[in-house]
Every structure is written in C-alpha cells, then in structure tokens.
Amino acid sequence: MRLVIARCSVDYTGRLNAHLPLATRLLVHKGDGSLLVHSDGGSYKPLNWMSPPCTLTVEAPEEEAASVGVTEQWRVTHKKTGDALVVKIYEVLHDTSHDLGIDPGLIKDGVEADLQRLLAEQVSVVGEGLTLVRREYPTAIGPVDLLLRDDNGGSVAIEVKRRGDIDGVEQLTRYLDLLNRDPLLAPVSGVFAAQEIKPQARVLATDRGIRCLTLDYDEMKGIESGAPRLF
C-alpha cells in the first residue's frame, strides 16, 4: 500500500464527472489497484475513488498544467468501464509504501460461539430452575448447542444463532425429534435463541411449540446496551 500526502486536484470522468479543486489530500493506492482520495474530514469515506479492476499510469503533465505547477499526473482507468480518475499533483509532502501482508478479515464480536458460551454461564436468562447439562450435546445429526434440565426432570434444548432464520428453526426441530426419543431426556422442549429473530422464523417456531428468546449480547457481557427498559 502506498500512502501519499500531496497538494493535488482530482477529476473523475466517465458515467459521471466530478472535480476536486486544489487542496492537500491523502492518496491511498492499495495493492488491489484501487485509489482512494481522502481529506482530513468526512470520517472514513473518501472524497473520490476508483475501485478495481483498474490500472494506474503516471504521466508527465501537459504544458499548460506544468505552467501552473503540476509536477506529475496520475491516471487511474477502470478496465471494464473506461472511467478515469485523474490526479494532478502539485507538491508531494509525504510518500511511503508498506507491505501489509494478507489480512485475516473481520472477526465480529457476538458470534454464535460467544453467545453460546455466555448463555451456558447464564442459564437464568432462559428461565428459572434450569441447570446446564452440557454444551454441544451430541445427536446423530450433529450437536445441539445447549442442553438444560428443569426442576421437573424435563430437558430444554437450545439452538443459538446470531441471526435467527427459518433454517435455524428447522435445525432445532430435527434435534428435538431425536432427543424426545430418548426416555432419559424426554420430554424435551425447545428454545430458539438469537440476537435477532426474523418474523417468519418466529412464526414457524411458535407453530412448532418452540419458544423464541432474543439475546441482549451487551447485557450478557455486563455492558449496558442503552435499550429502554421497564425496570
């Protein structure tokens, strides 16, 4: 990645035309070929950019541009559309290149494994009088996320999702069918737990006698979520 701070003007030509007058800006030329033009404001969003696939060519300025102080010109051309981002550089204040290597990608907070762990530690969120039997309780078609016992000797199978959809309800339904065949566990009720449950999934779960539970991840971590409460 190349980072250049320069006094420059920028013109975008193609399906639309746009012009940035002369000012000091940050130019980010990434390894994928893209070029982003940033100012010191506007948060994360660039003022203008060219997305890959594109190529950058450094050109000598035309005589008229050179006469007003342009030292070099960058032309970034999109390979498919032909759109062009032309950067006229008057003065380079900083120019560095860095090899960032391969990025592992974003790891989201609040993934299913975290939710499952927190819920196992706080089974009271599900209801009173429940105790944890096991996380990842094995069945013939895969492990159910949590298995709990209630005061009456019955069992509760919980499927934990970050976002609950119909597929998750179907998955829990199959687990319940198998678990209820085991006389040592039956009767087994189901709880579909997620940070967000889609309306269609909620309707299907209710129709099959499965309780839906919306999880407040921040609260479970001991952080106030800011959501309004009655108490």
Side-chain angles (χ1 to χ4, degrees), residues 216 218-219 224-231:
D216 187 329
D218 287 340
E219 185 177 273
E224 290 294 332
S225 67
R229 302 184 185 186
L230 292 176
F231 304 100

Side-chain angles (χ1 to χ4, degrees), residues 34-99:
S34 61
L35 181 73
L36 299 91
V37 182
H38 284 274
S39 67
D40 203 18
S43 186
Y44 65 92
K45 189 175 181 180
L47 298 170
N48 215 327
W49 67 92
M50 182 65 76
S51 301
C54 57
T55 57
L56 185 151
T57 305
V58 179
E59 304 172 337
E62 295 180 357
E63 185 177 343
E64 182 179 351
S67 67
V68 295
V70 177
T71 58
E72 66 180 36
Q73 179 172 291
W74 294 5
R75 182 179 299 273
V76 186
T77 307
H78 197 276
K79 292 183 179 179
K80 293 182 178 180
T81 66
D83 289 11
L85 188 68
V86 178
V87 182
K88 294 179 179 177
I89 296 177
Y90 290 74
E91 180 184 6
V92 174
L93 306 176
H94 176 84
D95 188 347
T96 58
S97 296
H98 307 271
D99 183 3

